[in-house]
Amino acid sequence: MFALVAIQVAPSIADVLNGNPAPESSASPDAAPAPSLTPEPTSSASASASPSPSSPAGPSASITYLENAPSESATAEPALADEQDIVLRVPTNFPVDPRATSVRVSPLNVYSSGEVLLCLSTSGSRFWLSNTSDSVEMTGNSTSQLILSGKATAINSLLNSGQGLRVGGNPRVQGAVVTSRAAVVTKPTLNTELCAQAPKTISSSINPLGLGMNTVKNPVPIK
């Protein structure tokens, strides 16, 4: 029996001396498999999932942009003045020779301390104005509607000096009607729409003197 023990121990000693470990025994089939390790979430992942606290918001500056309002004098359209302190003086009757082809419309005057709009219109005839002035705006010369705007003194001088204002017919001037309208405006203008709103209006008729076309004058003897 001692000899058998020596035989079993001898190979083991020989394996140790040769550097070959003894073979391990195989695991039994009933052994449970080793549990797999599941990695836990890292701290960086949890930190990124949770929102970071925001810093306290400081007071924000409020900026208001103001539009540059255009000046009233540059954009305001001419209009009738609130106070119409104006006087218009025109004869209501202009007697003419029935054979006349034109007649002078004079005197025609307007009085006001402000800027004046004077609108003249005629039926069956037209206006002739030989005078001009740099201080008076004018349109419609040689037509049936004449419009002037400016200071009253300048308009009066333009209409009544020199040859002044005349009305001519085709061929006769008798029977024509001249309508004069005047208003105070905020600034000089030739806007015809304001003529209808003028507070001062005068109609003047051009009537014959009572002489017929066949009137014969008796000769006057000279002594």
Side-chain angles (χ1 to χ4, degrees), residues 5-216:
V5 172
I7 293 172
Q8 292 178 351
V9 173
S12 300
I13 296 174
D15 291 337
V16 171
L17 294 177
N18 293 332
N20 295 326
E24 297 178 357
S25 61
S26 61
S28 64
D30 296 336
S36 60
L37 299 178
T38 301
E40 297 181 356
T42 61
S43 58
S44 60
S46 60
S48 61
S50 61
S52 60
S54 59
S55 59
S60 59
S62 177
I63 302 176
T64 303
Y65 296 94
L66 299 177
E67 297 182 358
N68 294 329
S71 61
E72 183 179 354
S73 60
T75 59
E77 293 293 332
L80 297 183
D82 295 335
E83 295 186 5
Q84 294 294 320
D85 55 338
I86 187 170
V87 176
L88 178 62
R89 292 180 179 173
V90 187
T92 58
N93 181 43
F94 289 97
V96 296
D97 187 313
R99 297 164 293 188
T101 58
S102 67
V103 63
R104 182 175 178 180
V105 181
S106 179
L108 194 162
N109 293 289
V110 60
Y111 303 96
S112 177
S113 59
E115 300 290 345
V116 172
L117 172 65
L118 180 63
C119 306
L120 306 175
S121 60
T122 181
S123 59
S125 55
R126 60 178 180 172
F127 294 103
W128 294 330
L129 182 60
S130 58
N131 300 331
T132 59
S133 175
D134 294 336
S135 57
V136 176
E137 296 184 13
M138 180 178 64
T139 184
N141 196 11
S142 298
T143 69
S144 61
Q145 186 174 23
L146 179 64
I147 302 177
L148 305 98
S149 186
K151 292 296 183 181
T153 54
I155 293 177
N156 294 339
S157 176
L158 187 67
L159 295 176
N160 300 299
S161 63
Q163 294 295 324
L165 177 65
R166 299 186 69 86
V167 175
N170 186 20
R172 303 287 186 260
V173 72
Q174 66 170 345
V177 176
V178 176
T179 302
S180 306
R181 297 181 176 90
V184 181
V185 290
T186 54
K187 60 182 178 180
T189 178
L190 299 176
N191 187 355
T192 57
E193 296 180 357
L194 298 180
C195 294
Q197 307 174 29
K200 302 296 182 180
T201 302
I202 297 178
S203 294
S204 305
S205 300
I206 301 176
N207 299 316
L209 286 169
L211 302 176
M213 296 298 296
N214 298 322
T215 299
V216 178

